Amino acid sequence: MKGRPVVALAGGVGAARFLAGLARVLLPERIVVIGNTGDDAEIHGLHISPDLDTVTYTLAGLADPQRGWGIQRDTFHALDALRRLGAETWFQLGDCDLGTHLYRTERLRQGAALSRVTAEIATALGVRVTLLPMSEGRVRTRIGTPRGELEFQTYFVKRRARDKVTGIRFEGAEQAAPAAGVLEAIREAQAIIVCPSNPFISMGPILAIPGIRVALQQRRAAVAAISPIIAGRALKGPAAAMMRSMKLKPAAAEVARLYEDFVGIFVLDNADRKQAGAVQALGMRPVVTNTIMRGVRERQALARTVVRELGLTA
Ligand code: FO1
């Protein structure tokens, strides 16, 4: 018996590292990951799903350990060839990684759903966790900046997230529906974990899909979130700077406030223990622990704490 599912909402690198720990603490077959596709992009004619791939590669043990995205020891000959032809090559696509994008693009062109293709790739790479895209529909995160609105990867990679963020929009989200299995998994889950991901650009698109936030609200007591902000800084990515741009204090308790309506347990780092009272005042149960994941042991330790606090059995 594998037991009731444990659902995780995931962005990219931070989420993937936590999930690698979780998959060593719980039976991987029991874990259902709902992944962000708001930063998907069409580059060189290929459909790229960076967050789905980051989760897949990490769980498969293939991810580049330093960058957290892409495949370890990948080569970039195709990108070099594109550069010689005068193509834009600011988005680093490795040769092995390109194989994934070629496969996904072709399968989608044949009419297969993104959830099907995602499962095919995960299974082929030996991933035993179920990975679902948040939606089959096309949702694209757009970042408002003083230079105008930018496509997400242009903001994030090409411009290195240096622009002031004046707004975030999830194009297509209102018309999109949760992918098959997403709402069912949330309803049936024994527990739900919001991974340590950027609340705006990683969780924002997932929560913007009609029905998902409401389904989570109905499970509030069973939802735990891990703060992506530690001591006022994001471990990775622009979450803290984004919070400042939006006139929010970059603090764990502020992230908790963004999740107030659907999260019952909030995990914050030892460095932020003074914010536990503010979290409690939001009607959440604070859990203070080490949330910095430098290696496998720390990922597993954090996963074990979250599993215990959610009352799950390993
Ligand atoms: N992030 C970068 O900072 N630079 C890149 O060139 C880059 C390429 C890339 C290729 C495939 C892939 O799956 C992810 C890639 N990422 C890159 C990561 C990605 O842009 C972001 O981490 C996510 O979209 C945010 O979660």
Side-chain angles (χ1 to χ4, degrees):
M1 256 303 273
K2 64 176 187 167
R4 282 167 67 199
V6 173
V7 167
L9 309 187
V13 176
R17 288 183 171 152
F18 170 75
L19 290 168
L22 190 68
R24 283 165 172 263
V25 172
L26 294 175
L27 207 58
E29 285 78 2
R30 199 173 156 200
I31 303 170
V32 179
V33 177
I34 300 171
N36 169 40
T37 56
D39 23 349
D40 283 18
E42 284 73 35
I43 299 178
H44 309 305
L46 300 175
H47 182 120
I48 323 281
S49 295
D51 282 359
L52 297 180
D53 289 346
T54 296
V55 170
T56 303
Y57 294 158
T58 304
L59 292 176
L62 295 173
D64 182 281
Q66 266 76 46
R67 296 184 311 227
W69 50 267
I71 293 180
Q72 56 189 315
R73 293 187 289 277
D74 211 348
T75 52
F76 292 85
H77 299 301
L79 210 68
D80 289 342
L82 280 162
R83 193 175 296 119
R84 280 195 293 276
L85 295 172
E88 282 202 71
T89 52
W90 48 266
F91 199 72
Q92 298 282 302
L93 292 167
D95 298 323
C96 293
D97 191 24
L98 273 168
T100 306
H101 312 312
L102 287 168
Y103 180 80
R104 177 186 295 113
T105 306
E106 174 64 358
R107 291 288 289 124
L108 292 173
R109 200 188 60 80
Q110 289 167 350
L114 182 60
S115 58
R116 171 88 188 261
V117 183
T118 303
E120 287 171 359
I121 295 168
T123 305
L125 298 184
V127 173
R128 289 149 63 200
V129 162
T130 301
L131 174 60
L132 301 173
M134 62 190 196
S135 177
E136 311 287 7
R138 184 190 152 93
V139 179
R140 293 292 181 270
T141 299
R142 307 270 177 207
I143 308 291
T145 75
R147 308 165 62 88
E149 200 175 58
L150 302 178
E151 179 271 328
F152 179 78
Q153 297 298 346
T154 303
Y155 157 79
F156 193 77
V157 175
K158 187 175 185 185
R159 296 198 46 79
R160 299 174 196 275
R162 64 172 172 259
D163 299 288
K164 186 174 171 334
V165 176
T166 55
I168 303 177
R169 194 165 68 87
F170 307 116
E171 189 183 87
E174 277 169 35
Q175 301 81 45
V182 165
L183 294 182
E184 294 79 351
I186 294 172
R187 282 191 206 113
E188 286 164 22
Q190 190 171 354
I192 298 150
I193 301 167
V194 179
C195 292
S197 297
N198 185 310
F200 305 107
I201 53 178
S202 299
M203 287 306 136
I206 302 178
L207 297 168
I209 305 297
I212 295 188
R213 193 167 193 134
V214 175
L216 292 168
Q217 287 166 349
Q218 286 160 2
R219 303 295 323 273
R220 188 177 186 273
V223 183
I226 304 157
S227 177
I229 300 281
I230 301 172
R233 297 169 66 172
L235 273 188
K236 207 167 188 320
M242 279 185 154
M243 291 183 87
R244 275 192 293 273
S245 295
M246 293 182 182
K247 309 261 179 289
L248 297 173
K249 201 172 148 207
E254 278 298 307
V255 177
R257 209 163 56 79
L258 296 170
Y259 294 162
E260 187 182 359
D261 57 312
F262 68 90
V263 168
I265 301 170
F266 194 79
V267 182
L268 60 171
D269 193 77
N270 290 324
D272 296 320
R273 60 170 66 252
K274 286 191 182 142
Q275 294 175 44
V279 169
Q280 197 146 24
L282 295 168
M284 295 176 178
R285 181 158 63 82
V287 172
V288 179
T289 188
N290 174 43
T291 63
I292 302 177
M293 295 174 285
R294 286 191 202 87
V296 182
R297 278 177 50 198
E298 285 173 322
R299 293 174 188 180
Q300 244 173 287
L302 178 59
R304 211 173 286 119
T305 302
V306 174
V307 161
R308 192 187 55 232
E309 293 295 333
L310 279 162
L312 301 171
T313 41

